[in-house]
């Protein structure tokens, strides 16, 4: 009886560990991970006229849960972005050592101190993230609610004349192309 009980307990532990290492049903990977977190003004809104009081909290919680779900995480960098790129925990290009007891809480606390504001420039933070490839970057997790509306590839005249959807499509195309041809070729 004890052997059978031990076998079931071991199997239950294996299943729990496997479930803990998943996020929304997806196995997560990464030893050296950059978390790109959109902190633009839209992260506080459902649309232009309606606030979403739980949206930013949900993003912060998701980032911490992803961190906790990475079974092999060793080092990380947190990059937040809106119209500018920010490195709230470590200087650009530097890793932080991951500690499962303290790192997710540090990220939660850091993100909680941020008030979402500004436009969405994804180009610069993506470039900063992929610049860490020589230091062993193997995974990037992007947490955002939409397309960019600022950044490399749109002139000031286009900002004034293109709709937000047109700008987002153009900027998104530039980022996808840059991912394919340079950052993640």
């Amino acid at each position: 009886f004890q052997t059978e009980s031990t076998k079931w307990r071991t199997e239950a532990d294996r299943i729990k560990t496997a479930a803990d290492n998943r996020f929304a049903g997806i196995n997560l990977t990464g030893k050296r991970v950059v978390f790109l977190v959109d902190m633009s003004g839209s992260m506080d809104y459902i649309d232009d006229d309606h606030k979403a009081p739980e949206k930013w909290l949900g993003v912060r919680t998701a980032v911490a849960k992803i961190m906790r779900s990475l079974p092999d995480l060793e080092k990380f960098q947190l990059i937040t972005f809106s119209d500018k790129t920010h490195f709230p925990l470590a200087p650009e290009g530097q890793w932080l050592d991951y500690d499962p007891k303290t790192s997710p809480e540090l990220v939660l606390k850091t993100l909680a101190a941020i008030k979402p504001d500004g436009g969405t420039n994804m180009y610069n933070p993506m470039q900063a993230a992929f610049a860490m490839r020589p230091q062993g970057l193997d995974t990037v997790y992007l947490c955002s609610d939409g397309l960019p509306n600022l950044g490399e590839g749109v002139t000031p005249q286009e900002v004034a004349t293109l709709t937000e959807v047109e700008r987002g499509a153009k900027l998104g195309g530039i980022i996808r192309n840059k991912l394919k041809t340079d950052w993640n070729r």
Side-chain angles (χ1 to χ4, degrees):
F1 177 75
Q2 186 68 2
T3 303
E4 189 69 20
S5 175
T6 302
K7 181 176 119 181
W8 286 111
R9 195 170 310 123
T10 301
E11 181 63 11
D13 289 345
R14 186 192 67 73
I15 291 169
K16 182 184 180 321
T17 299
D20 287 345
N21 293 339
R22 296 173 72 81
F23 181 81
I26 301 167
N27 281 329
L28 301 179
T29 62
K31 289 184 179 188
R32 290 181 177 233
V33 175
V34 170
F35 296 94
L36 290 175
V37 182
D38 182 347
M39 58 175 238
S40 65
S42 65
M43 298 304 281
D44 258 345
Y45 286 85
I46 295 170
D47 58 41
D48 290 342
D49 300 320
H50 299 93
K51 285 247 218 213
E54 299 300 314
K55 187 175 182 181
W56 183 234
L57 173 61
V59 171
R60 299 185 326 242
T61 304
V63 172
K65 181 170 173 142
I66 291 168
M67 288 184 88
R68 288 184 192 108
S69 299
L70 289 165
D72 300 321
L73 184 58
E74 296 172 357
K75 296 192 178 284
F76 73 98
Q77 171 63 282
L78 176 67
I79 301 174
T80 59
F81 64 94
S82 56
D83 48 343
K84 293 185 171 69
T85 303
H86 305 275
F87 302 85
L89 294 176
E92 181 174 357
Q94 292 186 15
W95 292 114
L96 291 143
D97 291 327
Y98 178 69
D99 180 340
K101 293 180 182 117
T102 61
S103 297
E105 293 307 316
L106 174 62
V107 167
L108 276 171
K109 181 179 174 184
T110 300
L111 292 175
I114 293 171
K115 167 97 173 87
D117 189 36
T120 308
N121 179 341
M122 286 185 186
Y123 188 94
N124 291 339
M126 293 284 275
Q127 183 155 309
F130 283 99
M132 295 185 72
R133 289 186 84 180
Q135 293 98 323
L137 170 72
D138 61 20
T139 309
V140 175
Y141 288 98
L142 170 64
C143 298
S144 180
D145 64 347
L147 293 172
N149 58 18
L150 303 169
E152 189 76 25
V154 174
T155 66
Q157 180 184 6
E158 288 175 313
V159 169
T161 59
L162 295 175
T163 68
E164 190 157 347
V165 171
E166 291 168 331
R167 274 185 304 185
K170 182 172 183 177
L171 291 165
I174 290 167
I175 289 170
R176 283 190 302 279
N177 185 55
K178 189 76 169 169
L179 278 165
K180 185 169 50 171
T181 63
D182 184 19
W183 295 332
N184 199 37
R185 62 180 175 275

